[in-house]
Amino acid sequence: MAEAVELEAGGRTVRLSSPDKVFFPEHGYTKLDVARYYQAVAPGILRALRDRPTTLQRYPDGVTGEWFYQKRAPKSMPDWIPTAHITFPSGRSADEMCPTEEAAVLWAAQYGTLTFHPWPVRRDDVDHPDELRIDLDPQPGTDYDDAARAAHELRAVLEEFGGLRGWPKTSGGRGIHVFVPIEPRWTFTQVRRAAIAVGRETERRMPERVTIKWWKEERGERIFIDYNQTARDRTIASAYSVRPRPHAPVSAPLTWDEVGVAHPRDFDITTMPARFAALGDVHAGMDGTRYSLDALLELATKDEHDHGLGDLPYPPEYPKMPGEPSRVQPSRARKQAPGPG
């Protein structure tokens, strides 16, 4: 292994050990390549992470080795990286790192972090999200182009209900994420309710192409709007995060004109630095305006009163929530139902 190198970021020096360790064997990209990538896009990823409790997805031996999520800030973390105390649905809690400067991103890269998973909250108010995050997840038989078509319809829904502006990005895989900056006035439960309303309205407009069905057996060949990504402790990879796939793709912020034109394969740790140098962070203005969820919550109420559409199932690891329907998948529920007589 080569000797350690020192990287400069915002007036701090971060030591990177084993810089020539190969993290992406298919192309030979190393730990230093990942760190240099994060240096190149530092203002962008810091904008996405700043002051947010952040879970680290770590690959100490690269994408072919074992990996894990690190939620709790390690004791070895420098004291200049602040933390926030967050509570999980189980009732347990932890202190998570909250990046406030570029050097924190490089420190995480030193420990094999590829993907950063920030909460949709800031450390000064960890119970009220300031982003509505919508995950358009292609199901078998669909692809990125299908997600792009759904994203454009979603954009129209957001505009119609409250004049909301969504900011799209690639997931780094086949999907698309759309983030809406919101006023931090609502709880996780209320924000999730707004996400369900968005999903149902988009599904009504594209019933053959979009679904909000939680159970995979009911989704079919459609784009799934994963409303549960808005539940507490569910996170989405940040903009500019490296994704653990052989070609080292990254989650790329897009303009709406690029959705359906640019493709995820266009963006990796070798191509994104040049784009960033030329265009800067195309989501730099994201925090300039924060929106209200009132119109979406009114839509949710209308769905409940006029159509009998209440809550939807939570993920399996969550405690049973008030008003939540059964978590038994439909095929199993049919088998368990008592027969006539």
Side-chain angles (χ1 to χ4, degrees), residues 135-144 146-147 174-175 209-211 213-226:
D135 181 9
L136 301 171
D137 184 12
Q139 300 304 290
T142 64
D143 57 20
Y144 175 81
D146 296 305
R174 299 186 307 141
R209 293 183 177 272
V210 170
T211 182
K213 298 290 188 184
W214 175 247
W215 302 106
K216 290 183 179 180
E217 64 186 32
E218 294 186 308
R219 293 177 191 171
E221 295 185 359
R222 292 179 286 182
I223 299 299
F224 171 51
I225 296 182
D226 189 354

Side-chain angles (χ1 to χ4, degrees), residues 186 189-191 193-194 197 293-302:
W186 296 276
T189 302
Q190 290 171 314
V191 173
R193 186 166 174 254
L293 291 180
D294 287 343
L296 285 179
L297 293 173
E298 288 174 9
L299 176 62
T301 298
K302 182 177 180 180

